Amino acid sequence: QVQLVESGGGPVQAGGSLRLSCAVFGNTYSSYCMGWFRQAAGKEREGVATIDSDGSTSYADSLKGRFTISQDKEKKILYLQMFNLTPEDSGMYYCAAEYLSYCIGGAARKSEEYKYWGQGTQVTVSA
């Protein structure tokens, strides 16, 4: 069983930065795809970024240049560094994982294609 635990969310002013973390617990495998999703109130969950076990990354086009996904393999932690935040970035941020050789579809990979999810961490950006 795999557990994902997100942290690092909170209130921030527009233009500010946040770094989200997702710690991975339990049985893991050497090949995987991990992703960050977000869901604003009243909107569908959308993919933000993915990273696989080889370190290949993919980003939603609208977020390139402002968000950076990374990982610490030894600590089993996934990160999402977010810069120049706007109120439109507010929402619940989730990390997800699936055991694959690579992230098929990249950031466009659908949420239902991930088996493991964290509980989410709330990001609130004020104008």
Side-chain angles (χ1 to χ4, degrees):
Q1 190 67 19
V2 175
Q3 283 186 312
L4 307 177
V5 180
E6 301 97 334
S7 61
V12 63
Q13 289 189 331
S17 302
L18 276 178
R19 188 177 78 161
L20 306 182
S21 299
C22 172
V24 182
F25 299 96
N27 295 327
T28 58
Y29 300 91
S30 58
S31 296
Y32 55 81
C33 169
M34 294 195 72
W36 284 99
F37 285 78
R38 68 183 185 181
Q39 187 166 19
K43 294 187 177 180
E44 293 187 355
R45 192 171 296 188
E46 62 173 344
V48 172
T50 61
I51 188 167
D52 64 24
S53 45
D54 289 336
S56 296
T57 59
S58 175
Y59 296 89
D61 287 341
S62 62
L63 300 175
K64 284 181 181 177
R66 290 199 301 122
F67 287 18
T68 301
I69 190 171
S70 62
Q71 61 185 338
D72 185 324
K73 287 188 173 183
E74 285 193 16
K75 294 182 180 178
K76 294 185 179 180
I77 299 177
L78 177 73
Y79 298 103
L80 183 69
Q81 179 70 57
M82 306 183 292
F83 300 97
N84 195 20
L85 288 162
T86 73
E88 289 69 36
D89 294 315
S90 297
M92 190 69 81
Y93 282 70
Y94 301 91
C95 69
E98 183 56 89
Y99 290 109
L100 298 170
S101 56
Y102 67 100
C103 291
I104 301 170
R109 186 174 178 79
K110 297 178 180 179
S111 59
E112 53 264 34
E113 295 179 280
Y114 288 87
K115 182 175 181 180
Y116 303 103
W117 288 86
Q119 82 290 348
T121 185
Q122 178 70 37
V123 172
T124 303
V125 185
S126 59

